[in-house]
């Protein structure tokens, strides 16, 4: 399980760098502008957690410890779920001249409020039967990450914080929540249902 978690983290960060940074990759720029910010997020990760992400990390860490994994290692592996979002947080922080701590708190609180992390987990749990389904699943997860980054940026541009943004977008948020209730109350969601959910999320903050 730990191998899978670490592999997922490395794939996520590698794909982000290849997709969002100019080619060829400038190692000096990455070392100067990104790695220190990643370290800052890791240092303050406990303060960035939403209640949901904290619970998920604690549950995973406890599960690993119960299988004789040293506590320090278990905590580090459990934190990779949060750290997978570090590149997006850094991107929004740089764009808005804010600290990664400020942006990270909005990012994770927003994700918990809209269920974006839950959606990524459900996508990752889909039973894949073909190469093309795997590619579609991976693209869907990446799209949910992209939407969380976009919406975090939108919250910051709106001013007034997350509560003010949720109030300003109350109709669309409530529509998404009703749709999500239907998704959660039924069978495990498949790719088509999650793709439709993505369309609802993309409607947020557009008007």
């Amino acid at each position: 399980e730990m191998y899978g978690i670490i592999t997922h983290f490395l794939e996520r960060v590698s794909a982000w760098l290849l997709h969002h940074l100019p080619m060829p990759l400038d190692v000096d720029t990455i070392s100067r502008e990104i790695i220190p910010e990643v370290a800052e997020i890791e240092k303050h990760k406990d303060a960035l957690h939403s209640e949901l992400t904290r619970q998920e990390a604690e549950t995973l860490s406890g599960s690993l410890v119960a299988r004789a994994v040293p506590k320090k290692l278990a905590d580090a592996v459990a934190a990779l779920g949060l750290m997978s979002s570090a590149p997006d947080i850094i991107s929004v922080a740089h764009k808005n001249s804010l600290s990664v701590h400020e942006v990270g708190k909005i990012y994770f609180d927003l994700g918990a409020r809209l269920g974006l992390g839950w959606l990524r987990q459900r996508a990752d749990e889909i039973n894949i039967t073909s190469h093309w389904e795997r590619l579609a699943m991976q693209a869907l997860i990446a799209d949910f990450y992209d939407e969380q980054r976009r919406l975090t940026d939108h919250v910051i541009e709106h001013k007034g914080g997350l509560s003010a943004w949720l109030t300003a977008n109350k109709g669309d948020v409530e529509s998404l929540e009703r749709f999500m209730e239907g998704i959660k109350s039924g069978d495990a969601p498949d790719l088509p249902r999650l793709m439709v959910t993505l369309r609802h999320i993309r409607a947020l903050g557009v008007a």
Side-chain angles (χ1 to χ4, degrees):
E1 183 180 5
M2 288 196 302
Y3 176 80
I5 293 169
I6 294 169
T7 299
H8 186 277
F9 168 77
L10 294 174
E11 289 176 346
R12 157 70 182 157
V13 173
S14 298
W16 192 98
L17 293 173
L18 292 171
H19 184 71
H20 292 279
L21 296 185
M23 294 290 114
L25 290 175
D26 186 338
V27 177
D28 289 338
T29 298
I30 294 173
S31 299
R32 184 177 63 254
E33 297 182 3
I34 296 180
I35 291 180
E37 298 280 45
V38 171
E40 187 71 9
I41 293 171
E42 198 281 332
K43 179 180 178 182
H44 297 288
K45 62 182 181 296
D46 288 342
L48 297 180
H49 274 298
S50 66
E51 288 302 316
L52 178 62
T53 58
R54 187 185 309 281
Q55 181 181 20
E56 290 171 346
E58 290 175 351
T59 299
L60 176 56
S61 177
S63 173
L64 294 174
V65 169
R67 285 174 280 172
V69 176
K71 181 69 164 60
K72 186 174 181 179
L73 176 58
D75 287 344
V77 171
L80 292 181
L82 180 145
M83 295 303 298
S84 293
S85 296
D88 283 330
I89 293 169
I90 293 167
S91 174
V92 176
H94 287 179
K95 178 183 176 182
N96 293 280
S97 300
L98 296 173
S99 71
V100 291
H101 182 275
E102 291 174 283
V103 173
K105 191 59 181 168
I106 295 171
Y107 179 95
F108 290 114
D109 285 346
L110 174 67
R113 182 68 173 76
L114 300 181
L116 296 173
W118 184 88
L119 288 167
R120 286 194 294 268
Q121 289 178 343
R122 299 296 79 74
D124 195 43
E125 293 169 357
I126 291 173
N127 183 31
I128 299 300
T129 60
S130 73
H131 171 69
W132 292 108
E133 285 186 355
R134 178 167 298 280
L135 291 179
M137 180 268 288
Q138 291 172 341
L140 183 61
I141 292 173
D143 285 341
F144 284 135
Y145 273 115
D146 287 346
E147 284 305 298
Q148 191 162 348
R149 183 187 69 250
R150 177 186 72 83
L151 290 170
T152 298
D153 189 49
H154 200 272
V155 169
I156 292 170
E157 290 179 349
H158 180 78
K159 309 297 184 184
L162 179 57
S163 294
W165 183 86
L166 290 170
T167 299
N169 293 272
K170 183 177 180 180
D172 287 338
V173 170
E174 290 180 346
S175 175
L176 173 63
E177 288 175 337
R178 288 192 297 271
F179 188 83
M180 289 282 287
E181 287 174 3
I183 290 287
K184 291 180 178 180
S185 64
D187 296 333
D190 53 15
L191 275 173
R193 277 184 282 183
L194 290 177
M195 291 175 70
V196 173
T197 306
L198 177 63
R199 289 178 62 88
H200 281 262
I201 294 168
R202 283 177 168 163
L204 290 173
V206 173

